[in-house]
Amino acid sequence: RKKYNLPEDKFIFCSFNNTYKIQPKMFEIWMEILKEKHDSCLWLLDTHETAKSNLLEKASELGVKKDRILFGERLVNNEHLERHICADLFLDTFPINAHTTASDALWVGLPILTLSGDSMVSRVAGSILKNLGMSELVTTNYEDYKKLALELSNNQKKLNVIRNKI
């Protein structure tokens, strides 16, 4: 974590999806999660200065201090994969799920929490998880997504069981 300027003593949620996939409702859910999980932060991909500025401004409007939203620069693939091991839980986007990004996270053993919908692009991560026998990480509504994120972030034993299963 030190290598990537991440806090050693916080639960780190991450989402390395492209910024355009972060829709307002999902970002609001993420901020609710951070407000309930006080010792946590959210690590995102730094894709564009305007997007970064807008996300930080929205976080502040929603009552989350800007220093709890962290940004990681684009890296070459092996370094990008390596940094995944620093996170505790990958929060997928909705209605456009992680595709290759989901595979990257799972490849290094990082659990993904996803919300599946009716469209193909909103079922990709869920399909990958179900194929791995990890249906317990697939939700179908925002309330269950938030509840499971908080449950996993507050239950290290359960999270470790899921990591080991991956």
Side-chain angles (χ1 to χ4, degrees):
R1 288 185 172 188
K2 187 175 185 175
K3 178 180 178 176
Y4 297 103
N5 298 315
L6 299 170
E8 298 284 340
D9 60 343
K10 303 254 187 254
F11 188 93
I12 298 180
F13 295 102
C14 77
S15 184
F16 294 131
N17 286 334
N18 280 306
T19 312
Y20 75 86
K21 292 184 178 184
I22 304 173
Q23 297 297 305
K25 179 64 178 173
M26 183 54 80
F27 192 74
E28 289 174 19
I29 297 296
W30 289 352
M31 295 306 99
E32 290 174 17
I33 291 167
L34 291 182
K35 287 193 288 191
E36 290 191 39
K37 178 69 175 165
H38 300 288
D39 60 340
S40 68
C41 57
L42 176 62
W43 190 18
L44 302 172
L45 191 60
D46 189 351
T47 59
H48 192 276
E49 195 57 41
T50 301
K52 180 178 173 179
S53 176
N54 288 342
L55 289 168
L56 290 171
E57 182 178 326
K58 189 63 177 176
S60 183
E61 286 175 18
L62 294 170
V64 175
K65 291 183 179 181
K66 294 178 181 182
D67 64 352
R68 294 189 60 203
I69 312 295
L70 311 172
F71 291 90
E73 63 184 317
R74 288 195 179 273
L75 299 172
V76 295
N77 197 49
N78 64 323
E79 290 177 8
H80 173 65
L81 290 173
E82 176 186 78
R83 73 173 156 193
H84 281 74
I85 63 173
C86 299
D88 296 298
L89 181 63
F90 188 106
L91 297 177
D92 196 10
T93 50
F94 182 84
I96 305 170
N97 284 173
H99 297 150
T100 304
T101 311
S103 296
D104 289 347
L106 291 166
W107 185 257
V108 297
L110 178 61
I112 299 172
L113 172 60
T114 193
L115 195 166
S116 285
D118 295 327
S119 67
M120 187 280 294
V121 296
S122 69
R123 293 190 313 266
V124 176
S127 178
I128 294 168
L129 287 165
K130 287 177 182 178
N131 214 7
L132 290 175
M134 305 293 301
S135 296
E136 64 268 33
L137 295 173
V138 181
T139 63
T140 56
N141 61 65
Y142 289 110
E143 183 179 323
D144 289 345
Y145 179 98
K146 177 183 167 183
K147 182 180 174 184
L148 187 54
L150 290 167
E151 180 183 339
L152 293 172
S153 67
N154 288 310
N155 187 337
Q156 190 62 48
K157 185 177 179 180
K158 184 173 185 172
L159 192 58
N160 287 341
V161 167
I162 289 170
R163 277 187 180 274
N164 288 335
K165 188 176 176 183
I166 293 171

